[in-house]
Amino acid sequence: MTANPPPQLRVGGTPTDLPEGDPFGPHNLPYGVGTARQEPDRPHIVVRYGDSVLDAGAAADAFGSPHAALLKQPRLNSLMAAGRPVWTEVRAQLREWLTASQHRDTVRQFLRPLSGMTMRLPFDVADYVDFYASEHHATNVGRIFRPDGAALTPNWKHLPIGYHGRAGTVVVSGTPVVRPKGQRRPPHEEAPLFGPSRRLDIEAEVGFVVGAPSEQGTAVPLSGFRDHVFGVTLLNDWSARDIQAWEYVPLGPFLGKSFATSVSAWITPLDALDAARTAPPARDVPVLEYLDDAEEAEPGGIDLRITVSINGHTVAEPPFSAMYWTAAQQLAHMTVNGASLRTGDLYASGTVSGPEPAQRGCLLELTWGGKEPLQLPDGSRAFLEDGDEVTLSAWAPGPDGSRIGMGEVRGRVEPPR
Amino acid sequence: MTANPPPQLRVGGTPTDLPEGDPFGPHNLPYGVGTARQEPDRPHIVVRYGDSVLDAGAAADAFGSPHAALLKQPRLNSLMAAGRPVWTEVRAQLREWLTASQHRDTVRQFLRPLSGMTMRLPFDVADYVDFYASEHHATNVGRIFRPDGAALTPNWKHLPIGYHGRAGTVVVSGTPVVRPKGQRRPPHEEAPLFGPSRRLDIEAEVGFVVGAPSEQGTAVPLSGFRDHVFGVTLLNDWSARDIQAWEYVPLGPFLGKSFATSVSAWITPLDALDAARTAPPARDVPVLEYLDDAEEAEPGGIDLRITVSINGHTVAEPPFSAMYWTAAQQLAHMTVNGASLRTGDLYASGTVSGPEPAQRGCLLELTWGGKEPLQLPDGSRAFLEDGDEVTLSAWAPGPDGSRIGMGEVRGRVEPPR
């Protein structure tokens, strides 16, 4: 902590001349890791501010921050492990450095144009879990995959269904995605065929990044969400629907998902989304006590408005506020059996789909299993074609009418190898 | 490499006086990581030799090994990442140091009694995958869980079914396992109940530890097995059957498994099992080319004889040679979609069950869903009780009539918290 006076928040007239309404203003301050063009071998923690990035470790040294060691790292894991009180202090310091007029000349030495940076995966992923928390998505998928059964399985409204995915293939936005090969069994075929997936899809999701670990054998309650979760990221859970459909009974998705999962280069601090907290949809089935959030101090939903585009054309605008299960419920469920959390655990919401057709977060739903292709300016799409570039972006309401921008997630499909 | 003459293998009369037929003799040499009682803060790599352990890093320094840096580590990951040629060299050096008479006095300085060591998890687990590769197990489970359907799903003989598990809760042998709590829905109940699992089970499995990584977007062929897999370990995939049964449709096992997975403290080098290689069972359904091992140079099966005991009483002797899918096939399948391998990836065989009732590797099968409890000296068991200690052990035939012992996996059930 410094002895300086509190920061003067002057959006639109800050020391670093941020344009008014910039979604990466002083209320946001997401963390990333990148290398500057001149120093490709020095990955370092940066904080996004408008179209600039702050070299957080160098600034912390210059300002004499007691947390400089956590910021002078090639990835976020040490900062993430430090826990909520440190996250709050570091965030307050960053905001002060970037916005208080007396720091203007100092902080400018550590700001660089974002355009000169190559962004990296900002943290080492420990375990990756993917949930299935949108009732609209689960209902649509159930109707498409199991047309003769109930759309939702009997457990769906009693627990947030989830499964572990492959942490080692989580990649940062901008990483190309090679079309996977695998087994698929077309209808009316006896034996499976092998080859490149013909039903390559995306899933627009929101990822939660665990900072503070927990002890094996001990559950984390709903109220522990803010203590353990460091930040939020957009996430594209690339999915090969034909591989998935053939493999997933009885042990769940495996190769249909494990080839790649893309995350944003930017981790939005959970605190930056305080103004976006909102009540989740009414639950129509009572839940067990460990999942009952009716009495929680903070509303569990987050009003995050996602845009999905293919080759620059918007194809869906899924509302995260429509999710049936919240991230706090997912954390409580994930640990209720005593499973421990590690710094770097990443868990994703599952596809975000709203009630309207234009709010569906994957092509499987948007094209209803490929039967109703989308009409894009460059042709129709049932599923992704080689060369297609998918971009997820999002924003949330911030304090005082501001917007909190989420870092985008981009990925281009490369031909199979 | 040293200029010394080749080692003189003198089992029963080695420089370190190993008893004849010791399953941890010069053909075995498994790796572990432990701390000595006098130095609890110095985890270091050790090699088991009979009832002794060799401080591998200190010995490597003394003998001037070029690989000393890889062995002077607090975990195996650096050695594992070095790749097959280095693994072969290091293993040859270790055998020479331990068995050649001219090294007797030197090597003795670095040998300590195993009884004075506290063993740790020997490597940082990257991703953990669990397969389902025993036809006998899958058939039994299918009959128990889905009595009205086909025992095997249509995909079972076309691909090795697998799913990702929780890497962060993999623990070393000896770690207590807290009985998990969770949701279960008893038959004829409408809503689930919450509480400690009443059907806590084990699964006797064999785990394969990946050393050399692979590139994302590229498949590893069957022939890459020996290049990528560093070693083998016994593994107990603790399972809460009541939690699992309620949660697993449609996305697979999650909390029913994620509370704990126990592995041996010892990683047996793949080379130590060369004499145990054996042909897998005949496959009665043709497989796709990437899984077809008919022309492979090495037989894919491993003749590993497992013993499962509860509180010291043997309850099953599952034969690993009966597995339908081999570890090489599992590796090829896991990467055929371009999923990369990382150093420290761990993948397990799935429950090892043979054709005979006394060869079944979990209580679910041994007690047929709890309906036919086992009679143990200390009472009957449908599933595990608090305080029960489960031990897996195994051995494989080695060269010249020797035995290769696998490190045991022990775990005691603690009451729920």
PDB file of all heavy atoms in Angstrom, chain A residues 200-229:
ATOM      1  N   LEU A 200     -17.883 -29.694 -37.419  1.00  0.00           N
ATOM      2  CA  LEU A 200     -17.065 -28.932 -36.477  1.00  0.00           C
ATOM      3  C   LEU A 200     -17.853 -27.706 -36.012  1.00  0.00           C
ATOM      4  O   LEU A 200     -18.381 -26.960 -36.831  1.00  0.00           O
ATOM      5  CB  LEU A 200     -15.752 -28.512 -37.138  1.00  0.00           C
ATOM      6  CG  LEU A 200     -14.759 -27.765 -36.233  1.00  0.00           C
ATOM      7  CD1 LEU A 200     -14.375 -28.599 -35.023  1.00  0.00           C
ATOM      8  CD2 LEU A 200     -13.516 -27.381 -37.033  1.00  0.00           C
ATOM      9  N   ASP A 201     -17.887 -27.524 -34.704  1.00  0.00           N
ATOM     10  CA  ASP A 201     -18.775 -26.535 -34.106  1.00  0.00           C
ATOM     11  C   ASP A 201     -18.002 -25.732 -33.061  1.00  0.00           C
ATOM     12  O   ASP A 201     -16.867 -26.055 -32.719  1.00  0.00           O
ATOM     13  CB  ASP A 201     -19.953 -27.280 -33.442  1.00  0.00           C
ATOM     14  CG  ASP A 201     -21.148 -26.389 -33.164  1.00  0.00           C
ATOM     15  OD1 ASP A 201     -21.096 -25.172 -33.409  1.00  0.00           O
ATOM     16  OD2 ASP A 201     -22.166 -26.948 -32.685  1.00  0.00           O
ATOM     17  N   ILE A 202     -18.647 -24.700 -32.594  1.00  0.00           N
ATOM     18  CA  ILE A 202     -18.128 -23.910 -31.491  1.00  0.00           C
ATOM     19  C   ILE A 202     -19.133 -23.979 -30.347  1.00  0.00           C
ATOM     20  O   ILE A 202     -20.280 -24.392 -30.535  1.00  0.00           O
ATOM     21  CB  ILE A 202     -17.948 -22.436 -31.899  1.00  0.00           C
ATOM     22  CG1 ILE A 202     -19.285 -21.885 -32.460  1.00  0.00           C
ATOM     23  CG2 ILE A 202     -16.870 -22.280 -32.927  1.00  0.00           C
ATOM     24  CD1 ILE A 202     -19.855 -20.763 -31.702  1.00  0.00           C
ATOM     25  N   GLU A 203     -18.679 -23.606 -29.156  1.00  0.00           N
ATOM     26  CA  GLU A 203     -19.602 -23.362 -28.051  1.00  0.00           C
ATOM     27  C   GLU A 203     -19.140 -22.087 -27.364  1.00  0.00           C
ATOM     28  O   GLU A 203     -18.009 -22.008 -26.879  1.00  0.00           O
ATOM     29  CB  GLU A 203     -19.630 -24.543 -27.066  1.00  0.00           C
ATOM     30  CG  GLU A 203     -20.197 -25.808 -27.693  1.00  0.00           C
ATOM     31  CD  GLU A 203     -20.551 -26.906 -26.686  1.00  0.00           C
ATOM     32  OE1 GLU A 203     -19.989 -26.905 -25.578  1.00  0.00           O
ATOM     33  OE2 GLU A 203     -21.389 -27.762 -27.035  1.00  0.00           O
ATOM     34  N   ALA A 204     -20.021 -21.097 -27.346  1.00  0.00           N
ATOM     35  CA  ALA A 204     -19.712 -19.828 -26.691  1.00  0.00           C
ATOM     36  C   ALA A 204     -19.936 -19.988 -25.198  1.00  0.00           C
ATOM     37  O   ALA A 204     -21.056 -20.274 -24.751  1.00  0.00           O
ATOM     38  CB  ALA A 204     -20.606 -18.727 -27.245  1.00  0.00           C
ATOM     39  N   GLU A 205     -18.852 -19.840 -24.426  1.00  0.00           N
ATOM     40  CA  GLU A 205     -18.942 -20.087 -22.990  1.00  0.00           C
ATOM     41  C   GLU A 205     -18.215 -18.990 -22.215  1.00  0.00           C
ATOM     42  O   GLU A 205     -17.449 -18.210 -22.783  1.00  0.00           O
ATOM     43  CB  GLU A 205     -18.326 -21.448 -22.631  1.00  0.00           C
ATOM     44  CG  GLU A 205     -18.919 -22.598 -23.431  1.00  0.00           C
ATOM     45  CD  GLU A 205     -18.638 -23.963 -22.839  1.00  0.00           C
ATOM     46  OE1 GLU A 205     -18.176 -24.037 -21.678  1.00  0.00           O
ATOM     47  OE2 GLU A 205     -18.880 -24.962 -23.539  1.00  0.00           O
ATOM     48  N   VAL A 206     -18.450 -18.996 -20.935  1.00  0.00           N
ATOM     49  CA  VAL A 206     -17.738 -18.105 -20.026  1.00  0.00           C
ATOM     50  C   VAL A 206     -16.932 -18.983 -19.068  1.00  0.00           C
ATOM     51  O   VAL A 206     -17.476 -19.931 -18.491  1.00  0.00           O
ATOM     52  CB  VAL A 206     -18.720 -17.202 -19.252  1.00  0.00           C
ATOM     53  CG1 VAL A 206     -17.980 -16.330 -18.249  1.00  0.00           C
ATOM     54  CG2 VAL A 206     -19.518 -16.339 -20.226  1.00  0.00           C
ATOM     55  N   GLY A 207     -15.644 -18.683 -18.943  1.00  0.00           N
ATOM     56  CA  GLY A 207     -14.762 -19.484 -18.096  1.00  0.00           C
ATOM     57  C   GLY A 207     -14.430 -18.761 -16.804  1.00  0.00           C
ATOM     58  O   GLY A 207     -14.279 -17.535 -16.788  1.00  0.00           O
ATOM     59  N   PHE A 208     -14.306 -19.519 -15.726  1.00  0.00           N
ATOM     60  CA  PHE A 208     -13.965 -18.974 -14.414  1.00  0.00           C
ATOM     61  C   PHE A 208     -12.622 -19.557 -13.988  1.00  0.00           C
ATOM     62  O   PHE A 208     -12.411 -20.768 -14.073  1.00  0.00           O
ATOM     63  CB  PHE A 208     -15.080 -19.274 -13.410  1.00  0.00           C
ATOM     64  CG  PHE A 208     -16.330 -18.523 -13.754  1.00  0.00           C
ATOM     65  CD1 PHE A 208     -17.210 -19.002 -14.731  1.00  0.00           C
ATOM     66  CD2 PHE A 208     -16.600 -17.294 -13.181  1.00  0.00           C
ATOM     67  CE1 PHE A 208     -18.337 -18.279 -15.102  1.00  0.00           C
ATOM     68  CE2 PHE A 208     -17.723 -16.569 -13.539  1.00  0.00           C
ATOM     69  CZ  PHE A 208     -18.593 -17.059 -14.497  1.00  0.00           C
ATOM     70  N   VAL A 209     -11.739 -18.660 -13.544  1.00  0.00           N
ATOM     71  CA  VAL A 209     -10.361 -19.033 -13.260  1.00  0.00           C
ATOM     72  C   VAL A 209     -10.155 -19.039 -11.752  1.00  0.00           C
ATOM     73  O   VAL A 209     -10.332 -18.013 -11.080  1.00  0.00           O
ATOM     74  CB  VAL A 209      -9.395 -18.040 -13.930  1.00  0.00           C
ATOM     75  CG1 VAL A 209      -7.950 -18.420 -13.632  1.00  0.00           C
ATOM     76  CG2 VAL A 209      -9.650 -17.987 -15.437  1.00  0.00           C
ATOM     77  N   VAL A 210      -9.780 -20.193 -11.224  1.00  0.00           N
ATOM     78  CA  VAL A 210      -9.583 -20.338  -9.780  1.00  0.00           C
ATOM     79  C   VAL A 210      -8.203 -19.828  -9.400  1.00  0.00           C
ATOM     80  O   VAL A 210      -7.202 -20.186 -10.030  1.00  0.00           O
ATOM     81  CB  VAL A 210      -9.745 -21.811  -9.361  1.00  0.00           C
ATOM     82  CG1 VAL A 210      -9.333 -22.007  -7.899  1.00  0.00           C
ATOM     83  CG2 VAL A 210     -11.179 -22.273  -9.588  1.00  0.00           C
ATOM     84  N   GLY A 211      -8.172 -18.993  -8.376  1.00  0.00           N
ATOM     85  CA  GLY A 211      -6.901 -18.516  -7.853  1.00  0.00           C
ATOM     86  C   GLY A 211      -6.504 -19.265  -6.591  1.00  0.00           C
ATOM     87  O   GLY A 211      -5.560 -20.034  -6.577  1.00  0.00           O
ATOM     88  N   ALA A 212      -7.277 -19.067  -5.523  1.00  0.00           N
ATOM     89  CA  ALA A 212      -6.912 -19.639  -4.230  1.00  0.00           C
ATOM     90  C   ALA A 212      -7.287 -21.117  -4.174  1.00  0.00           C
ATOM     91  O   ALA A 212      -8.421 -21.485  -4.481  1.00  0.00           O
ATOM     92  CB  ALA A 212      -7.624 -18.873  -3.120  1.00  0.00           C
ATOM     93  N   PRO A 213      -6.353 -21.961  -3.781  1.00  0.00           N
ATOM     94  CA  PRO A 213      -6.627 -23.402  -3.729  1.00  0.00           C
ATOM     95  C   PRO A 213      -7.482 -23.776  -2.517  1.00  0.00           C
ATOM     96  O   PRO A 213      -7.721 -22.970  -1.628  1.00  0.00           O
ATOM     97  CB  PRO A 213      -5.233 -24.007  -3.620  1.00  0.00           C
ATOM     98  CG  PRO A 213      -4.394 -22.949  -2.984  1.00  0.00           C
ATOM     99  CD  PRO A 213      -4.970 -21.632  -3.421  1.00  0.00           C
ATOM    100  N   SER A 214      -7.952 -25.019  -2.498  1.00  0.00           N
ATOM    101  CA  SER A 214      -8.684 -25.543  -1.338  1.00  0.00           C
ATOM    102  C   SER A 214      -8.112 -26.908  -0.984  1.00  0.00           C
ATOM    103  O   SER A 214      -7.412 -27.530  -1.780  1.00  0.00           O
ATOM    104  CB  SER A 214     -10.184 -25.638  -1.632  1.00  0.00           C
ATOM    105  OG  SER A 214     -10.456 -26.695  -2.531  1.00  0.00           O
ATOM    106  N   GLU A 215      -8.441 -27.369   0.199  1.00  0.00           N
ATOM    107  CA  GLU A 215      -7.862 -28.601   0.722  1.00  0.00           C
ATOM    108  C   GLU A 215      -8.665 -29.825   0.279  1.00  0.00           C
ATOM    109  O   GLU A 215      -9.905 -29.801   0.324  1.00  0.00           O
ATOM    110  CB  GLU A 215      -7.857 -28.523   2.250  1.00  0.00           C
ATOM    111  CG  GLU A 215      -7.050 -29.608   2.937  1.00  0.00           C
ATOM    112  CD  GLU A 215      -7.338 -29.660   4.431  1.00  0.00           C
ATOM    113  OE1 GLU A 215      -7.985 -28.722   4.943  1.00  0.00           O
ATOM    114  OE2 GLU A 215      -6.950 -30.650   5.068  1.00  0.00           O
ATOM    115  N   GLN A 216      -7.972 -30.874  -0.108  1.00  0.00           N
ATOM    116  CA  GLN A 216      -8.660 -32.108  -0.493  1.00  0.00           C
ATOM    117  C   GLN A 216      -9.431 -32.655   0.713  1.00  0.00           C
ATOM    118  O   GLN A 216      -8.920 -32.669   1.832  1.00  0.00           O
ATOM    119  CB  GLN A 216      -7.647 -33.136  -1.008  1.00  0.00           C
ATOM    120  CG  GLN A 216      -8.271 -34.279  -1.794  1.00  0.00           C
ATOM    121  CD  GLN A 216      -7.259 -35.000  -2.670  1.00  0.00           C
ATOM    122  OE1 GLN A 216      -6.133 -34.569  -2.812  1.00  0.00           O
ATOM    123  NE2 GLN A 216      -7.681 -36.103  -3.277  1.00  0.00           N
ATOM    124  N   GLY A 217     -10.656 -33.078   0.464  1.00  0.00           N
ATOM    125  CA  GLY A 217     -11.500 -33.589   1.538  1.00  0.00           C
ATOM    126  C   GLY A 217     -12.453 -32.549   2.098  1.00  0.00           C
ATOM    127  O   GLY A 217     -13.273 -32.870   2.966  1.00  0.00           O
ATOM    128  N   THR A 218     -12.362 -31.305   1.617  1.00  0.00           N
ATOM    129  CA  THR A 218     -13.149 -30.201   2.168  1.00  0.00           C
ATOM    130  C   THR A 218     -13.933 -29.519   1.053  1.00  0.00           C
ATOM    131  O   THR A 218     -13.377 -29.221  -0.003  1.00  0.00           O
ATOM    132  CB  THR A 218     -12.209 -29.172   2.823  1.00  0.00           C
ATOM    133  OG1 THR A 218     -11.400 -29.850   3.780  1.00  0.00           O
ATOM    134  CG2 THR A 218     -12.990 -28.073   3.509  1.00  0.00           C
ATOM    135  N   ALA A 219     -15.212 -29.259   1.297  1.00  0.00           N
ATOM    136  CA  ALA A 219     -16.057 -28.602   0.295  1.00  0.00           C
ATOM    137  C   ALA A 219     -15.938 -27.087   0.391  1.00  0.00           C
ATOM    138  O   ALA A 219     -15.707 -26.546   1.468  1.00  0.00           O
ATOM    139  CB  ALA A 219     -17.510 -29.016   0.504  1.00  0.00           C
ATOM    140  N   VAL A 220     -16.079 -26.414  -0.737  1.00  0.00           N
ATOM    141  CA  VAL A 220     -16.132 -24.953  -0.770  1.00  0.00           C
ATOM    142  C   VAL A 220     -17.604 -24.553  -0.877  1.00  0.00           C
ATOM    143  O   VAL A 220     -18.283 -24.929  -1.829  1.00  0.00           O
ATOM    144  CB  VAL A 220     -15.341 -24.400  -1.977  1.00  0.00           C
ATOM    145  CG1 VAL A 220     -15.518 -22.890  -2.092  1.00  0.00           C
ATOM    146  CG2 VAL A 220     -13.868 -24.776  -1.870  1.00  0.00           C
ATOM    147  N   PRO A 221     -18.112 -23.780   0.101  1.00  0.00           N
ATOM    148  CA  PRO A 221     -19.529 -23.414   0.043  1.00  0.00           C
ATOM    149  C   PRO A 221     -19.786 -22.329  -1.005  1.00  0.00           C
ATOM    150  O   PRO A 221     -18.858 -21.719  -1.525  1.00  0.00           O
ATOM    151  CB  PRO A 221     -19.807 -22.871   1.452  1.00  0.00           C
ATOM    152  CG  PRO A 221     -18.481 -22.331   1.905  1.00  0.00           C
ATOM    153  CD  PRO A 221     -17.437 -23.233   1.278  1.00  0.00           C
ATOM    154  N   LEU A 222     -21.065 -22.076  -1.281  1.00  0.00           N
ATOM    155  CA  LEU A 222     -21.447 -21.013  -2.211  1.00  0.00           C
ATOM    156  C   LEU A 222     -20.754 -19.697  -1.863  1.00  0.00           C
ATOM    157  O   LEU A 222     -20.303 -18.967  -2.743  1.00  0.00           O
ATOM    158  CB  LEU A 222     -22.963 -20.785  -2.138  1.00  0.00           C
ATOM    159  CG  LEU A 222     -23.859 -21.803  -2.829  1.00  0.00           C
ATOM    160  CD1 LEU A 222     -25.319 -21.504  -2.479  1.00  0.00           C
ATOM    161  CD2 LEU A 222     -23.649 -21.766  -4.334  1.00  0.00           C
ATOM    162  N   SER A 223     -20.650 -19.418  -0.572  1.00  0.00           N
ATOM    163  CA  SER A 223     -20.077 -18.136  -0.141  1.00  0.00           C
ATOM    164  C   SER A 223     -18.572 -18.061  -0.388  1.00  0.00           C
ATOM    165  O   SER A 223     -17.979 -16.991  -0.232  1.00  0.00           O
ATOM    166  CB  SER A 223     -20.356 -17.914   1.349  1.00  0.00           C
ATOM    167  OG  SER A 223     -19.761 -18.960   2.102  1.00  0.00           O
ATOM    168  N   GLY A 224     -17.951 -19.160  -0.759  1.00  0.00           N
ATOM    169  CA  GLY A 224     -16.519 -19.145  -1.035  1.00  0.00           C
ATOM    170  C   GLY A 224     -16.157 -18.714  -2.447  1.00  0.00           C
ATOM    171  O   GLY A 224     -14.972 -18.619  -2.780  1.00  0.00           O
ATOM    172  N   PHE A 225     -17.168 -18.454  -3.251  1.00  0.00           N
ATOM    173  CA  PHE A 225     -16.931 -18.126  -4.659  1.00  0.00           C
ATOM    174  C   PHE A 225     -15.939 -16.972  -4.816  1.00  0.00           C
ATOM    175  O   PHE A 225     -14.944 -17.064  -5.539  1.00  0.00           O
ATOM    176  CB  PHE A 225     -18.276 -17.786  -5.308  1.00  0.00           C
ATOM    177  CG  PHE A 225     -18.195 -17.354  -6.733  1.00  0.00           C
ATOM    178  CD1 PHE A 225     -17.733 -18.208  -7.721  1.00  0.00           C
ATOM    179  CD2 PHE A 225     -18.606 -16.071  -7.100  1.00  0.00           C
ATOM    180  CE1 PHE A 225     -17.678 -17.793  -9.046  1.00  0.00           C
ATOM    181  CE2 PHE A 225     -18.550 -15.655  -8.415  1.00  0.00           C
ATOM    182  CZ  PHE A 225     -18.083 -16.517  -9.387  1.00  0.00           C
ATOM    183  N   ARG A 226     -16.187 -15.880  -4.102  1.00  0.00           N
ATOM    184  CA  ARG A 226     -15.344 -14.692  -4.257  1.00  0.00           C
ATOM    185  C   ARG A 226     -13.934 -14.910  -3.686  1.00  0.00           C
ATOM    186  O   ARG A 226     -12.974 -14.294  -4.145  1.00  0.00           O
ATOM    187  CB  ARG A 226     -16.015 -13.493  -3.584  1.00  0.00           C
ATOM    188  CG  ARG A 226     -15.357 -12.174  -3.869  1.00  0.00           C
ATOM    189  CD  ARG A 226     -16.110 -11.028  -3.245  1.00  0.00           C
ATOM    190  NE  ARG A 226     -17.236 -10.589  -4.035  1.00  0.00           N
ATOM    191  CZ  ARG A 226     -17.149  -9.702  -5.039  1.00  0.00           C
ATOM    192  NH1 ARG A 226     -15.998  -9.184  -5.373  1.00  0.00           N
ATOM    193  NH2 ARG A 226     -18.220  -9.349  -5.705  1.00  0.00           N
ATOM    194  N   ASP A 227     -13.811 -15.783  -2.715  1.00  0.00           N
ATOM    195  CA  ASP A 227     -12.489 -16.052  -2.150  1.00  0.00           C
ATOM    196  C   ASP A 227     -11.616 -16.880  -3.094  1.00  0.00           C
ATOM    197  O   ASP A 227     -10.391 -16.774  -3.060  1.00  0.00           O
ATOM    198  CB  ASP A 227     -12.611 -16.831  -0.834  1.00  0.00           C
ATOM    199  CG  ASP A 227     -13.236 -16.000   0.269  1.00  0.00           C
ATOM    200  OD1 ASP A 227     -13.092 -14.764   0.227  1.00  0.00           O
ATOM    201  OD2 ASP A 227     -13.881 -16.591   1.154  1.00  0.00           O
ATOM    202  N   HIS A 228     -12.251 -17.722  -3.878  1.00  0.00           N
ATOM    203  CA  HIS A 228     -11.464 -18.654  -4.684  1.00  0.00           C
ATOM    204  C   HIS A 228     -11.332 -18.250  -6.146  1.00  0.00           C
ATOM    205  O   HIS A 228     -10.353 -18.619  -6.796  1.00  0.00           O
ATOM    206  CB  HIS A 228     -12.068 -20.066  -4.586  1.00  0.00           C
ATOM    207  CG  HIS A 228     -11.847 -20.697  -3.253  1.00  0.00           C
ATOM    208  ND1 HIS A 228     -10.677 -21.333  -2.921  1.00  0.00           N
ATOM    209  CD2 HIS A 228     -12.623 -20.750  -2.153  1.00  0.00           C
ATOM    210  CE1 HIS A 228     -10.749 -21.771  -1.669  1.00  0.00           C
ATOM    211  NE2 HIS A 228     -11.919 -21.429  -1.174  1.00  0.00           N
ATOM    212  N   VAL A 229     -12.314 -17.543  -6.681  1.00  0.00           N
ATOM    213  CA  VAL A 229     -12.296 -17.246  -8.122  1.00  0.00           C
ATOM    214  C   VAL A 229     -11.613 -15.909  -8.374  1.00  0.00           C
ATOM    215  O   VAL A 229     -12.044 -14.873  -7.878  1.00  0.00           O
ATOM    216  CB  VAL A 229     -13.718 -17.277  -8.710  1.00  0.00           C
ATOM    217  CG1 VAL A 229     -13.718 -16.730 -10.139  1.00  0.00           C
ATOM    218  CG2 VAL A 229     -14.223 -18.711  -8.704  1.00  0.00           C
TER     219      VAL A 229
END
